Amino acid sequence: MVETDPDPQRFRDLMLDSEPGFEEVMVCVFGIQRHETRTYQVLCDRPGSTVEELAAELERDRSNVNRSLSTLREKGLAERGRRLLDGGGHIYQYTATPLPEAKELMHDTLDEWTAYVHSRIDEFDDEALD
């Protein structure tokens, strides 16, 4: 689900940066935290990682990594797969959405937000000036 009414401060901050980097754009477009962009970046380098592996790599608590992964999955930036263990049971492994697809999601999200702003502009009439 795309957030069509984002915090304008995020976009203002992004526009004030003469050359925003990947992390800044991800934070702005998806409304996620910086630690979630770092989780995405690590997942890009380490597809199929478990929460435990990511927690060690990111030097973060497993519960925090789990929350980051949930957010990334909600935004369409990560997927979870289940691997059966030889001794029984299973473990979840996570993979980042490939960068080309993530970039397309960024474009789509911005397009939807732009369409929302355009519709708001179209709703203005003479009474809006009062």
Side-chain angles (χ1 to χ4, degrees):
M1 174 82 185
V2 173
E3 184 180 324
T4 56
D5 191 13
D7 177 5
Q9 188 62 43
R10 290 196 329 247
F11 284 94
R12 190 172 300 117
D13 292 345
L14 188 64
M15 290 185 303
L16 291 176
D17 191 335
S18 63
E19 292 188 32
F22 180 78
E23 190 173 295
E24 290 80 16
V25 172
M26 290 274 290
V27 165
C28 173
V29 171
F30 293 115
I32 61 178
Q33 302 296 315
R34 291 188 186 287
H35 61 85
E36 292 160 341
T37 63
R38 286 191 298 278
T39 302
Y40 173 82
Q41 290 169 311
V42 169
L43 270 180
C44 284
D45 292 336
R46 292 173 167 64
S49 293
T50 64
V51 171
E52 190 171 331
E53 292 166 341
L54 290 168
E57 179 67 27
L58 294 163
E59 298 179 355
R60 295 186 59 228
D61 180 276
R62 287 179 59 188
S63 62
N64 289 329
V65 171
N66 257 323
R67 282 192 291 278
S68 292
L69 290 167
S70 291
T71 299
L72 292 174
R73 289 177 60 220
E74 287 171 14
K75 302 291 182 176
L77 296 169
E79 293 181 359
R80 179 176 75 179
R82 193 170 86 161
R83 186 184 81 196
L84 297 176
L85 300 173
D86 292 337
H90 67 273
I91 193 164
Y92 289 114
Q93 295 177 293
Y94 297 85
T95 302
T97 299
L99 184 57
E101 291 176 38
K103 288 168 48 176
E104 194 62 37
L105 281 172
M106 284 187 230
H107 284 291
D108 292 347
T109 302
L110 282 176
D111 289 346
E112 288 186 32
W113 187 79
T114 301
Y116 166 78
V117 173
H118 281 291
S119 71
R120 292 293 299 143
I121 291 169
D122 291 343
E123 292 172 5
F124 296 151
D125 56 18
D126 289 337
E127 292 177 15
L129 301 176
D130 295 335

